[in-house]
Amino acid sequence: MAEDSSKCIKDFWAEIPRTGEDFLGSIRSWKNVQVALEDKVIWLKGFTEEQAASSELLQLPDFLLYELREGLLFRKNALVPTKKMRTALLWTPIGKALKVDFPLSNQNYFGIQDTIEVKLKAIEEEQPAFALLSRIDEIKDHIITLPKFKLDLIDWTILNNCALFLGIPLLSLPGKTYWRKDGHLLPAGFDFEWKNLSLLLQQKYNENMDQWILWNTEGEYVAVSKDNFKKLSVSSFRLSEKAKEWN
C-alpha cells in the first residue's frame, strides 16, 4: 500500500524576538505565512520547504526555525525537541498582523538609524558600476574633451560641489563608483549587512521608484529625485558650471 504523501509534508514554525519585528518586512508578501504575537516573541507558521530554506529567513537576526512533530518543536536535524508547541495563540496573516514603521525622514537624510542600525559591509562579489560621483573641480577640464557618443549614454545631476553620473559604460573620470540595487546606489564593493533591508527601505521610502538613494560606506544616504537628472553634454555641463560657483 502506498504511503500517504500528506504525512511527509513538514510543518514549519519559527520565532523571532519582538525587537526584530521591523526585519520581517522582507517576507510580508508571503501570504501563506501566519503570525501570532506574544509579549516578547513573534511566532510564525505556514512556511513552505522552499521558504524555510530561503536567505530571506536565514538572514533574520535571532530567528529560530522549528519543525513541528506530534506537538513538539524540533530544531533543524535535531533528534530531541526544543520545546512544546505553543497553544492558545491568535494567528493572523502576516501582511495584516505586522506594520513596518520607521521614523519620519528629514528632507535629505533619513533617521532610520534611530530604530535600526543600517550598516554596509565589504563584499567579494563584483557588481557592474552604474554611477560615478566626481568633484566638479577635478573633472571640468576633462568633460569638454570627451567624444559626444560617450556623453550621450550618460545622465547627470549636481550634488553640492560634485557631479553624479549614471549610465553604462561610465566615463573614465576620477571619483567614487556605485552599483544599483532596488533603487539604491551602493558604493562599489559594499552591500547592506542585512541584505533583506534593501527592499524594505525601498518599499518604505522609495515606493514609486522616483528617486535614487545614494549611500556612503558609513551608512548615511541622501535621496536624489530622478527628475533632477538630464542628458550629459558639453553645453549642459558648461551651463551648470556657469550657474554655480564651484569651490
Side-chain angles (χ1 to χ4, degrees), residues 198-215:
S198 177
L199 279 174
L200 181 61
L201 295 170
Q202 181 267 316
Q203 291 168 358
K204 180 64 179 179
Y205 289 109
N206 194 21
E207 184 177 5
N208 296 324
M209 295 296 288
D210 56 355
Q211 303 179 100
W212 288 109
I213 301 179
L214 180 71
W215 290 78

Side-chain angles (χ1 to χ4, degrees), residues 82-108:
T82 301
K83 57 182 66 178
K84 292 182 179 181
M85 177 184 67
R86 299 290 294 159
T87 58
L89 294 175
L90 179 62
W91 295 99
T92 309
I94 188 170
K96 294 182 179 179
L98 300 182
K99 294 182 179 180
V100 183
D101 293 324
F102 292 115
L104 294 176
S105 67
N106 60 30
Q107 290 183 351
N108 291 315

Side-chain angles (χ1 to χ4, degrees), residues 11-16 35-45 64 66-74 81-91:
D11 188 358
F12 293 104
W13 282 46
E15 64 173 303
I16 188 171
V35 170
L37 307 179
E38 291 188 316
D39 289 341
K40 296 182 179 180
V41 176
I42 299 174
W43 287 96
L44 305 98
K45 70 176 183 178
L64 298 177
Y66 304 99
E67 183 181 339
L68 178 64
R69 307 177 204 159
E70 298 180 354
L72 300 174
L73 297 174
F74 292 77
T82 301
K83 57 182 66 178
K84 292 182 179 181
M85 177 184 67
R86 299 290 294 159
T87 58
L89 294 175
L90 179 62
W91 295 99

Side-chain angles (χ1 to χ4, degrees), residues 165-199:
F165 302 105
L166 304 180
I168 297 176
L170 285 173
L171 303 174
S172 299
L173 295 172
K176 298 178 180 179
T177 57
Y178 300 79
W179 61 288
R180 57 182 167 178
K181 179 180 183 180
D182 304 323
H184 303 284
L185 297 176
L186 298 171
F190 286 82
D191 197 354
F192 294 109
E193 182 179 27
W194 298 103
K195 293 186 177 181
N196 56 300
L197 271 183
S198 177
L199 279 174

Side-chain angles (χ1 to χ4, degrees), residues 12 30 47-55 57-58 63 65 76:
F12 293 104
W30 293 2
F47 301 104
T48 65
E49 289 199 48
E50 182 179 0
Q51 289 170 339
S54 69
S55 60
L57 288 189
L58 298 179
F63 181 85
L65 182 68
K76 184 178 180 180

